[in-house]
Amino acid sequence: MMLVPRRDNGFNIFDEVFNDPFFSESERVSKLMKTDVQEVDGNYLLEIDVPGYDKENIQLELNDGYLTVTATKNEDNETKKAKYLKRERFSGICSRSFFVGEDVKEEDIKANFKNGILSITFPKEVQKQVQEKKYIQIGD
């Protein structure tokens, strides 16, 4: 039996291969819809990069306290026929969801789109309506 000396320098080629960004889903997703979150005057402000998208192709949906931003960009027929040597620009559907709170309603959310940046403002804390006390009469 022959023993092969082992170098233990902390480097393992197989571990390094899987650390490549190609294998990391979060690396690919993080390149789309980069977002800054700020607190401004008691509100939250989301600024989301969506360059190359038209306002008409961006949709905001509020469901169970989550605000989902979906952007769609389709290739035109000329682009589909082209032979690319390298392609880095995204085409298709991308979306991100943010928890904004279960008490936030559609009318509490304001959105603007300018120069490829979607700005969304919503209250940090929604004022709950204080219900009027109702008393039950006690019968004789």
Side-chain angles (χ1 to χ4, degrees):
M1 173 182 331
M2 183 173 155
L3 292 176
V4 178
R6 180 176 172 217
R7 277 198 242 161
D8 192 9
N9 59 1
F11 178 78
N12 184 337
I13 187 82
F14 294 106
D15 289 340
E16 292 301 312
V17 167
F18 290 106
N19 286 334
D20 187 277
F22 175 78
F23 293 102
S24 172
E25 179 67 24
S26 62
E27 180 69 23
R28 288 185 300 224
V29 171
S30 68
K31 291 181 181 180
L32 300 174
M33 300 181 83
K34 290 185 178 182
T35 304
D36 292 336
V37 181
Q38 301 175 44
E39 185 179 335
V40 180
D41 298 328
N43 293 314
Y44 286 121
L45 171 63
L46 302 176
E47 291 182 319
I48 304 171
D49 286 351
V50 281
Y53 288 84
D54 294 324
K55 177 180 160 182
E56 296 77 28
N57 296 331
I58 300 172
Q59 181 180 17
L60 298 160
E61 178 185 6
L62 183 63
N63 190 14
D64 293 330
Y66 285 89
L67 176 66
T68 301
V69 179
T70 304
T72 306
K73 182 165 54 171
N74 294 323
E75 299 177 338
D76 58 12
N77 288 334
E78 295 286 323
T79 306
K80 289 180 184 179
K81 295 176 186 175
K83 178 182 176 185
Y84 285 92
L85 301 176
K86 182 172 183 168
R87 187 161 190 189
E88 294 181 347
R89 294 184 299 158
F90 179 79
S91 179
I93 298 173
C94 58
S95 68
R96 288 201 60 186
S97 292
F98 305 91
F99 184 75
V100 297
E102 293 176 355
D103 295 326
V104 174
K105 305 285 184 239
E106 287 85 357
E107 57 268 11
D108 298 327
I109 300 172
K110 307 291 183 238
N112 295 308
F113 184 70
K114 185 176 181 182
N115 297 329
I117 298 174
L118 177 64
S119 300
I120 304 170
T121 305
F122 58 94
K124 184 175 176 182
E125 293 183 29
V126 176
Q127 299 293 328
K128 293 185 178 181
Q129 296 287 338
V130 178
Q131 292 186 353
E132 183 180 320
K133 292 182 182 181
K134 296 181 181 180
Y135 297 97
I136 300 171
Q137 289 186 336
I138 301 173
D140 293 328

